[in-house]
Amino acid sequence: MRQPSTTNHNTMELKRVVVTGMGAITPLGNDVETTWENAKAGVSGAGPITHFDASLFKTQFACEVKGFNAEDHFDRKKTRQLDLYAQYALVAARQAIADAALEAAAEEGKVDKNRVGVIVAAGIGGLHTFEEEAGYYALNSDKGPKYNPFFIPKMIADIASGHISMEYGYHGPNYGVVSACASSNNAIIDAFNLIRLGKADAILTGGAEAAIFPAGVGGFNSMHALSTRNDSPETASRPFSKSRDGFVIGEGSAVLVLEELEHALARGAKIYCEIAGGGLSADAYHITATHPEGLGAILAMQNALEDAGMKPEDIDYINVHGTSTPVGDRSEVKAIEQLFGEHAHKLNISSTKSMTGHLLGATGAIEAVFSIKAVTDGIIPPTINHEEGDEDEEIDYSLNFTFNKAQKREVRAALSNSFGFGGHNATLIVKKFEK
């Protein structure tokens, strides 16, 4: 196994990148603080599906966003132009921009909007819009095609970035990222690299997803990917427990403001943490399953550590991909044990998907928020729903999975994993900010 290098092989001096703002719309709350308080308390975001009648589906529950009304945020005309996933993204971005005081700084001439970008990911994009429009055509094919003129611009997976830039006049790098459930980690890593290369001063980045509709639930059901624990939705997402039977689909968005350090200091910005590094890899193994020995996961984590100039023992917390699928959980644990060796037993590990469900293309972004809060607050959010006697014989329970209750500890650096269909792997590392 290759040992991570602590040498930066770049010939040019790279700029440092910090996080100065955060926003979130999640199954645990419609802002960062509510989401974080519920995560620390071990609250489950799962419940019966309300977006559509799921009574005939194998899975009848999900981790939906609660109490979100588009009319509270957009006028009627704007609402018609936005798929739900883009609505979530825009509101989370507004929160992050306000948190970073980015617009106030721009008004004072401290931020050049030509050097502010937006990179917001989606694994699927406007699935609900596609489903509605395709359904109409199928039902009315004898009359010829008739589509809403907003069909394409509502559906496409990059449109959230476009809407955010248009609302605020940000002219910097602007695009979406699609790599299934690794999408938003990929987006954050892209934003990090562009800023440290000097291509932008600040970038709004993260992910958004809203796929809790018939095509999303039915499609994942047909793959036997979702839990069918309809009698107890709130306990259905149970990573690392023997009785786990699939993931729980979630929805929402999280957006971060990443900013070049000197730029942030010059305008007196609040700094949450520093982005230390990112690592990417491919399993090159299977269209949906992770490599059983976690080879791609190992490589992504190695690459992130090398990029950060860190050693395995510099990491205190891992927010794992941990989807609650039988194969995926095992392979990730194997990867952690192989790469971290003895230090694996000194780590806190947790899967916040036990509470939020799996937000698909948005999952890396909300887990980045949890990782950042773990660093700033010194609290590890739990892996809930584990019961005594529900141990998988192929998982080493001498590791600290932070079962059922949050734990306090100093977190110098946190590592967050996201793995996606197609074998896409993306690992992000955040660390305490030190001037």
Side-chain angles (χ1 to χ4, degrees):
M1 182 178 67
R2 188 182 91 236
Q3 291 300 312
S5 168
T6 57
T7 303
N8 191 322
H9 298 291
N10 295 287
T11 55
M12 67 178 289
E13 185 176 346
L14 298 175
K15 298 177 183 295
R16 293 172 66 185
V17 181
V18 293
V19 177
T20 58
M22 299 191 290
I25 302 291
T26 80
L28 298 184
N30 292 345
D31 55 58
V32 168
E33 287 308 316
T34 305
T35 295
W36 178 236
E37 289 302 313
N38 282 326
K40 289 189 296 182
V43 173
S44 171
I49 290 172
T50 64
H51 288 337
F52 68 97
D53 180 2
S55 59
L56 297 179
F57 285 70
K58 293 178 182 177
T59 296
Q60 299 166 10
F61 61 93
C63 286
E64 294 179 336
V65 169
K66 290 96 176 161
F68 181 90
N69 298 304
E71 297 77 17
D72 295 338
H73 305 282
F74 311 104
D75 61 34
R76 187 173 296 179
K77 180 180 178 181
K78 188 73 170 179
T79 301
R80 288 200 300 267
Q81 298 175 11
L82 297 169
D83 185 88
L84 184 58
Y85 98 93
Q87 293 176 19
Y88 291 155
L90 260 171
V91 176
R94 289 172 179 176
Q95 293 176 6
I97 290 165
D99 187 37
L102 208 57
E103 282 299 283
E107 290 173 6
E108 295 171 1
K110 295 178 180 178
V111 170
D112 178 359
K113 291 191 175 185
N114 288 334
R115 291 186 55 79
V116 178
V118 186
I119 306 173
V120 174
I124 298 176
L127 182 64
H128 186 219
T129 296
F130 182 84
E131 188 174 70
E132 283 186 320
E133 291 294 323
Y136 180 90
Y137 180 53
L139 292 171
N140 297 274
S141 57
D142 59 321
K143 299 178 182 178
K146 184 178 180 180
Y147 287 95
N148 187 317
F150 292 116
F151 171 36
I152 298 299
K154 279 180 71 174
M155 177 197 70
I156 51 180
D158 67 311
I159 202 64
S161 293
H163 278 293
I164 294 166
S165 69
M166 286 183 276
E167 183 162 311
Y168 290 96
Y170 296 149
H171 295 282
N174 187 282
Y175 57 93
V177 174
V178 179
S179 53
C181 303
S183 297
S184 49
N185 255 13
N186 268 124
I188 295 167
I189 292 167
D190 276 10
F192 167 58
N193 283 328
L194 285 170
I195 294 171
R196 66 175 175 169
L197 288 170
K199 307 298 184 183
D201 296 330
I203 296 179
L204 275 289
T205 186
E209 205 78 89
I212 305 175
F213 294 101
V217 175
F220 283 120
N221 267 157
S222 69
M223 299 168 56
H224 306 288
L226 296 181
S227 170
T228 56
R229 194 182 288 263
N230 293 312
D231 59 337
S232 183
E234 67 281 357
T235 67
S237 185
R238 45 181 58 222
F240 312 115
S241 293
K242 185 176 183 178
S243 60
R244 65 194 185 279
D245 67 332
F247 73 84
V248 177
I249 190 170
E251 63 176 355
S253 175
V255 174
L256 311 177
V257 177
L258 268 54
E259 193 166 348
E260 191 271 322
L261 173 60
E262 295 304 323
H263 186 269
L265 292 174
R267 69 179 188 88
K270 168 181 78 257
I271 295 175
Y272 285 105
C273 71
E274 183 168 358
I275 303 292
L280 307 173
S281 75
D283 277 359
Y285 171 72
H286 190 272
I287 58 171
T288 58
T290 56
H291 191 284
E293 299 303 317
L295 298 186
I298 292 170
L299 184 56
M301 290 188 287
Q302 280 182 324
N303 289 340
L305 287 166
E306 185 168 338
D307 188 45
M310 299 172 80
K311 299 176 181 177
E313 53 266 31
D314 295 325
I315 303 297
D316 293 316
Y317 168 51
I318 298 180
N319 188 298
V320 292
H321 189 57
T323 58
S324 189
T325 58
V327 175
D329 289 3
R330 291 171 183 166
S331 64
E332 190 171 8
V333 171
K334 288 180 182 178
I336 290 167
E337 288 187 303
Q338 187 169 345
L339 179 59
F340 286 85
E342 282 302 310
H343 184 65
H345 297 272
K346 300 177 182 178
L347 294 165
N348 270 84
I349 297 166
S350 74
S351 171
T352 46
K353 288 184 182 71
S354 60
M355 297 175 283
T356 66
H358 192 351
L359 276 67
L360 309 177
T363 201
I366 187 56
E367 288 162 12
V369 170
F370 290 143
S371 299
I372 291 165
K373 295 296 279 184
V375 168
T376 60
D377 293 11
I379 297 175
I380 309 297
T383 305
I384 67 169
N385 296 327
H386 183 72
E387 301 169 354
E388 211 172 312
D390 193 15
E391 282 79 30
D392 182 335
E393 59 275 5
E394 294 189 42
I395 289 177
D396 181 1
Y397 289 93
S398 65
L399 299 177
N400 185 357
F401 291 102
T402 323
F403 281 134
N404 297 323
K405 188 176 181 181
Q407 295 178 14
K408 292 183 178 180
R409 71 169 289 174
E410 181 187 11
V411 181
R412 300 164 300 165
L415 180 151
S416 180
N417 281 330
S418 287
F419 311 137
F421 285 177
H424 312 300
N425 305 306
T427 297
L428 179 71
I429 299 176
V430 298
K431 67 179 182 180
K432 279 186 182 292
F433 169 66
E434 296 177 355
K435 218 168 186 181

